[in-house]
Amino acid sequence: MSRPAQDTAAAPAAPATPSTALDSGRTDSGSGEPLMLQARGVRKSFGQLEVLRGIDMDVAAGEVVVLLGPSGSGKSTFLRCINHLEAPDGGSIHVAGELMGYRRHKGRVHHLRPREVTRQRRDIGMVFQHFNLFPHQTVLQNVIEAPVGVLRRPKTEARERAHELLCRVGLSDKAAAYPRQLSGGQQQRVAIARALAMRPKLMLFDEPTSALDPELVGEVLETMRDLVRDGLTMVVVTHEIAFAKEAADRVIFMDEGRVLESGPPSVLDRPSNPRTQAFLKRFL
């Protein structure tokens, strides 16, 4: 995008030809590049509202993909399906070759147990729109929480790594501060450091600048540009068109739960789909 056999009836229907490239042992995109993310036929509904209508997407290792589209197009829901914060109703998602949220056994699909899903999420970092920092913990405590509590890293090692990451995001002097003492841009950079502390293979960003005052957007985008330069695989939901043109390897436009257009950043200057053209006019 695994629970015991008795949960099979509750699992989403497996696609007729599930993720054949990875299931057959193939781990490249056809050009020889290894795949970090492979989605096939991903569907998701909330009640009668169909939010995702069969999303297919490949992301190579080291690739930066930006998802654009109007609010309600399914971008954020798709991100949440990748790390199984939302369970897809159909289709499959593989991250680094591993089927997310389910396992196949004797031709049937079974839910993973919650602790197994948690294990899968260790390889996926996610930065949310509203930071989600623990308000009662200092910046340093926020960053070391998961490495110590989930990965069982020694606190000394986790603190050393946390200080390195806070330096990397320009907050080396804020380790003892609490979130309420930071600006929105600083809190978001702490959230990025916290995600990186788990050494993820894939980073997901869900509109990381949309809750920030305009003057604070630049500092977060610059931190993300540093990650791009480091070669981290990233899927970014954003309305920052300039960032997409500058940092993305590929831009994907979504609307009404479907992928309408995909291509290099130059597609933003010459979109072929009328819906993409209408959307981008708002930013010109």
Side-chain angles (χ1 to χ4, degrees):
M1 327 235 185
S2 288
R3 292 180 189 171
Q6 60 264 33
D7 288 344
T8 302
T17 55
S19 213
T20 52
L22 289 175
D23 288 346
S24 62
R26 179 176 168 186
T27 57
D28 63 78
S29 58
S31 62
E33 295 184 63
L35 285 176
M36 183 60 67
L37 169 67
Q38 186 178 63
R40 290 292 179 269
V42 178
R43 296 182 288 105
K44 180 66 181 178
S45 296
F46 296 101
Q48 298 300 311
L49 179 63
E50 192 175 14
V51 180
L52 299 177
R53 305 183 183 192
I55 301 294
D56 294 334
M57 192 178 299
D58 290 345
V59 179
E63 188 176 19
V64 178
V65 173
V66 170
L67 305 184
L68 298 174
S71 297
S73 60
K75 308 181 302 298
S76 294
T77 298
F78 179 66
L79 280 196
R80 293 174 65 85
C81 285
I82 291 174
N83 64 5
H84 215 68
L85 288 175
E86 296 288 353
D89 297 325
S92 63
I93 295 175
H94 288 72
V95 174
E98 186 172 6
L99 177 64
M100 292 299 299
Y102 307 97
R103 61 181 172 87
R104 291 189 177 91
H105 180 66
K106 296 182 178 180
R108 306 185 75 183
V109 178
H110 306 270
H111 286 278
L112 288 174
R113 294 181 176 88
R115 67 173 180 272
E116 294 174 307
V117 176
T118 298
R119 177 192 58 77
Q120 288 186 324
R121 291 194 188 119
R122 295 176 186 178
D123 290 334
I124 305 173
M126 187 160 184
V127 177
F128 298 88
Q129 179 178 347
H130 293 292
F131 325 138
N132 290 355
L133 300 178
F134 296 115
H136 62 286
Q137 293 184 345
T138 66
V139 165
L140 182 66
Q141 289 168 337
N142 266 277
V143 177
I144 71 172
E145 175 75 18
V148 172
V150 178
L151 298 182
R152 304 301 180 188
R153 293 286 187 264
K155 282 191 176 182
T156 302
E157 176 188 324
R159 288 194 187 100
E160 182 177 346
R161 169 73 172 162
H163 282 296
E164 291 174 359
L165 291 171
L166 290 175
C167 183
R168 182 177 181 180
V169 300
L171 294 173
S172 58
D173 60 335
K174 300 296 184 182
Y178 287 87
R180 64 179 180 274
Q181 298 171 314
L182 305 179
S183 69
Q186 289 172 329
Q187 290 187 60
Q188 193 62 292
R189 284 185 282 156
V190 173
I192 293 172
R194 180 180 61 180
L196 293 174
M198 295 291 285
R199 301 184 186 274
K201 296 177 181 177
L202 172 66
M203 280 286 287
L204 308 177
F205 292 86
D206 188 8
E207 300 196 31
T209 61
S210 63
L212 301 179
D213 292 333
E215 63 268 23
L216 301 178
V217 169
E219 62 190 51
V220 174
L221 293 181
E222 185 56 36
T223 298
M224 294 171 64
R225 290 186 188 98
D226 286 340
L227 301 182
V228 172
R229 288 188 282 267
D230 288 345
L232 187 62
T233 310
M234 298 164 56
V235 180
V236 183
V237 171
T238 185
H239 292 299
E240 299 291 339
I241 303 299
F243 174 81
K245 288 183 176 181
E246 174 190 352
D249 296 301
R250 188 155 44 99
V251 174
I252 294 175
F253 181 79
M254 292 178 59
D255 191 25
E256 296 184 348
R258 296 186 175 93
V259 172
L260 299 187
E261 192 155 5
S262 176
S266 59
V267 75
L268 297 175
D269 297 318
R270 297 179 299 277
S272 60
N273 188 284
R275 185 67 187 90
T276 313
Q277 295 170 4
F279 175 79
L280 291 173
K281 281 182 180 178
R282 296 167 47 196
F283 298 93
L284 298 178

